[in-house]
């Protein structure tokens, strides 16, 4: 491992659902396998350990000086704009921290969504006759909602019969409403693609809303495309594309 490379700290939300942390750890192991020259650590904002603050304290105690903090988030909403910067501002002062951008949007994430749909039983030949619900967790942040709608529009242009956004919370429509809309449009089959990273409460709500769909894909999880996006965001931040959250005096 090259000592001059910043440590990559993956910051996950955390959940009471044990599947969430297990999925995050699986994804981080894939990232490590792709870039063995980079030290990768994981911290959680809530519910799980280690906490982000605890990891930063440990790194500082070891003598680490450079950290890229990467939000394991698909959109820039409250956690990326407020929660994570607040935690990073409380880090030990000797750490120089850069906050990387969130994962989405990215063409690689669209590839991961299609991977999950094909793993669930679809094939490329089904695209023109299949309507897809792009089901995200939801947000009160209009920027995040607009991004999901734009991703749905872009994805539609790759050959699907139709693509509709849906949200598990905070916004409308719900997954089941989007499924009904695609049925009404005359799509031969309807598939639900969860645009979420790990299992938990809201992904379970998406799954319940997909009860009348023909296909329900798995969460993005540790898809290889997701790991590649993480490393791309890390490289962007560590080469100076983003300003430091705070530099030591």
């Amino acid at each position: 491992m090259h000592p001059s490379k910043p440590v990559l700290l993956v910051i996950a939300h955390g959940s009471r659902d044990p599947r969430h942390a297990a999925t995050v750890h699986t994804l981080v192991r894939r990232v490590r396998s792709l870039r063995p020259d980079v030290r990768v650590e994981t911290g959680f904002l809530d519910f799980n350990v280690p906490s982000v603050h605890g990891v930063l304290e440990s790194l500082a105690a070891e003598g680490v000086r450079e950290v890229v903090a990467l939000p394991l988030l698909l959109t820039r909403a409250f956690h990326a704009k407020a929660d994570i910067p607040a935690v990073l501002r409380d880090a030990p002062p000797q750490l120089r921290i850069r906050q990387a951008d969130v994962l989405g949007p990215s063409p690689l994430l669209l590839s991961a969504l299609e991977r999950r749909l094909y793993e669930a039983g679809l094939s490329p030949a089904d695209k023109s006759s299949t309507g897809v619900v792009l089901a995200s967790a939801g947000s009160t942040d209009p920027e995040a909602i607009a991004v999901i709608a734009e991703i749905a529009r872009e994805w539609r242009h790759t050959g699907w019969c139709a693509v509709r956004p849906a949200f598990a919370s905070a916004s409308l429509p719900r997954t089941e409403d989007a499924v009904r809309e695609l049925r009404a449009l005359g799509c031969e089959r309807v598939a639900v693609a969860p645009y979420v990273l790990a299992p938990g409460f809201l992904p379970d709500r998406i799954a319940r809303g997909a009860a009348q769909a023909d296909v329900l894909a798995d969460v993005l999880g540790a898809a290889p495309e997701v790991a590649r996006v993480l490393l791309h965001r890390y490289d962007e931040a560590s080469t100076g594309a983003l300003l430091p959250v705070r530099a030591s005096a």
Side-chain angles (χ1 to χ4, degrees), residues 52-215:
V52 175
H53 183 74
V55 174
L56 291 171
E57 292 277 358
S58 295
L59 291 173
E62 290 179 31
V64 170
R65 291 297 176 263
E66 302 281 347
V67 176
V68 169
L70 193 152
L72 196 60
L73 300 168
L74 294 172
T75 57
R76 275 185 49 79
F78 181 78
H79 293 304
K81 294 177 179 178
D83 280 355
I84 291 175
V87 172
L88 297 180
R89 282 194 295 270
D90 287 337
Q94 62 266 44
L95 291 176
R96 290 186 293 272
I97 302 173
R98 296 174 182 270
Q99 182 177 335
D101 203 359
V102 297
L103 303 186
S106 167
L108 283 170
L109 294 177
L110 284 182
S111 297
L113 286 166
E114 295 207 356
R115 169 190 292 275
R116 293 303 189 221
L117 285 170
Y118 298 151
E119 289 170 351
L122 294 179
S123 73
D126 297 322
K127 291 183 75 167
S128 63
S129 57
T130 301
V132 179
V133 178
L134 179 69
S136 76
S139 173
T140 57
D141 188 309
E143 178 188 347
I145 298 305
V147 166
I148 298 300
E150 179 60 26
I151 292 170
R153 284 192 291 270
E154 289 183 9
W155 203 15
R156 163 67 181 85
H157 295 316
T158 67
W160 296 99
C161 173
V163 180
R164 294 290 184 272
F167 307 94
S169 68
S171 309
L172 295 174
R174 294 286 184 257
T175 301
E176 53 269 33
D177 300 325
V179 170
R180 284 193 289 268
E181 180 184 351
L182 291 171
R183 292 274 187 225
L185 282 175
C187 297
E188 186 176 315
R189 68 184 65 77
V190 176
V192 174
Y195 191 59
V196 293
L197 286 165
F201 176 75
L202 293 178
D204 284 349
R205 181 180 286 177
I206 289 171
R208 290 193 296 274
Q212 301 305 312
D214 301 294
V215 173

Side-chain angles (χ1 to χ4, degrees), residues 17-69:
D17 189 322
R19 297 174 298 168
H20 174 90
T23 301
V24 171
H25 290 310
T26 301
L27 173 59
V28 168
R29 284 194 295 271
R30 184 181 285 274
V31 171
R32 288 183 181 129
S33 72
L34 290 173
R35 290 285 292 276
D37 60 322
V38 175
R39 177 176 175 181
V40 187
E41 300 291 342
T42 308
F44 295 90
L45 291 174
D46 206 353
F47 302 116
N48 302 106
V49 291
S51 68
V52 175
H53 183 74
V55 174
L56 291 171
E57 292 277 358
S58 295
L59 291 173
E62 290 179 31
V64 170
R65 291 297 176 263
E66 302 281 347
V67 176
V68 169

